[in-house]
Amino acid sequence: REHFDGDGRRYVVWALERLCFAKESYNDAVLMMAKLAVAENEGIANNATAQLIQLFHYILAGTEVDLKVRLQTLKDLVNESDEYIPILVRCFDAALQNRSFFRSRGAEKFGFENRKDYVPETWEEVYNYWNGCRDILLEWMDKKPVVVGKVAELVEGNVYHWARGGQKDILVSLLNKIAEKKDYCWNK
């Protein structure tokens, strides 16, 4: 962490941002971005953590990769070590977000070619992505009880938005699992 900072780290994050945008380099680049995010040492808005988290928005994600591929990335990352837990919870928060999207432009430029952010073709595709995220979270809480508290915080922070945004099934499933894991003793 302390040995990789300054301009060198900044240039690597910018390069990975571009590589995450392109379909052909996304898979390797997103895993490298996740490693940098886990060892974050930059306090700026477009650091490795912010760039990684943005990749999981369903729109304006900064990648031309579809939602199925991004869902697979989340499945892969939950199998990493416990040091990934805080950043992954934030990635799921971004994936389940249904409001206030914003992205700075630049990563889509490849020489003279301007590539486009992936845009879901139907709402069904978005709901399938959200339901896939829910299923991963439910399984993750069963496999790693240490994440229950973090997922509970995620749910607590999104109750209003998910209830209003058509994600009630996701909300209820997660609430039921968290309550079960907390022996129905949940102070919130």
Side-chain angles (χ1 to χ4, degrees), residues 4-34:
F4 189 44
D5 58 3
D7 289 344
R9 182 183 177 94
R10 178 85 319 253
Y11 295 139
V12 169
V13 170
W14 285 338
L16 288 174
E17 180 185 5
R18 278 218 160 84
L19 292 169
C20 286
F21 198 96
K23 284 181 190 177
E24 59 271 18
S25 53
Y26 169 86
N27 288 322
D28 291 329
V30 72
L31 297 177
M32 288 185 268
M33 187 75 84

Side-chain angles (χ1 to χ4, degrees), residues 50 77 88 94 128 132 138 155 166 177:
L77 289 173
L88 270 170
N128 288 339
L138 292 170
V155 171
K177 177 61 79 174

Side-chain angles (χ1 to χ4, degrees), residues 7-136:
D7 289 344
R9 182 183 177 94
R10 178 85 319 253
Y11 295 139
V12 169
V13 170
W14 285 338
L16 288 174
E17 180 185 5
R18 278 218 160 84
L19 292 169
C20 286
F21 198 96
K23 284 181 190 177
E24 59 271 18
S25 53
Y26 169 86
N27 288 322
D28 291 329
V30 72
L31 297 177
M32 288 185 268
M33 187 75 84
K35 287 182 186 297
L36 280 179
V38 167
E40 188 62 75
N41 63 8
E42 288 186 301
I44 59 175
N46 65 339
N47 60 19
T49 301
Q51 294 305 124
L52 177 69
I53 290 167
Q54 172 186 278
L55 291 170
F56 297 100
H57 290 162
Y58 78 88
I59 56 170
L60 294 179
T63 187
E64 60 185 2
V65 172
D66 69 35
L67 298 178
K68 287 180 183 177
V69 173
R70 288 184 260 163
L71 192 61
Q72 184 59 52
T73 301
L74 289 168
K75 285 180 186 176
D76 294 342
L77 289 173
V78 297
N79 294 318
E80 292 292 337
S81 67
D82 286 356
E83 64 186 347
Y84 281 75
I85 291 171
I87 195 75
L88 270 170
V89 170
R90 293 179 63 192
C91 290
F92 279 106
D93 189 27
L96 292 165
Q97 187 174 334
N98 61 15
R99 72 212 179 283
S100 305
F101 296 98
F102 170 81
R103 182 175 84 76
S104 296
R105 299 188 49 87
E108 70 282 351
K109 294 179 192 255
F110 286 75
F112 294 112
E113 179 186 2
N114 271 340
R115 296 187 177 192
K116 304 269 188 225
D117 274 291
Y118 180 78
V119 177
E121 294 182 20
T122 65
W123 275 106
E124 180 181 10
E125 183 180 358
V126 175
Y127 285 115
N128 288 339
Y129 179 60
W130 286 341
N131 289 330
C133 288
R134 174 207 56 211
D135 294 344
I136 296 169

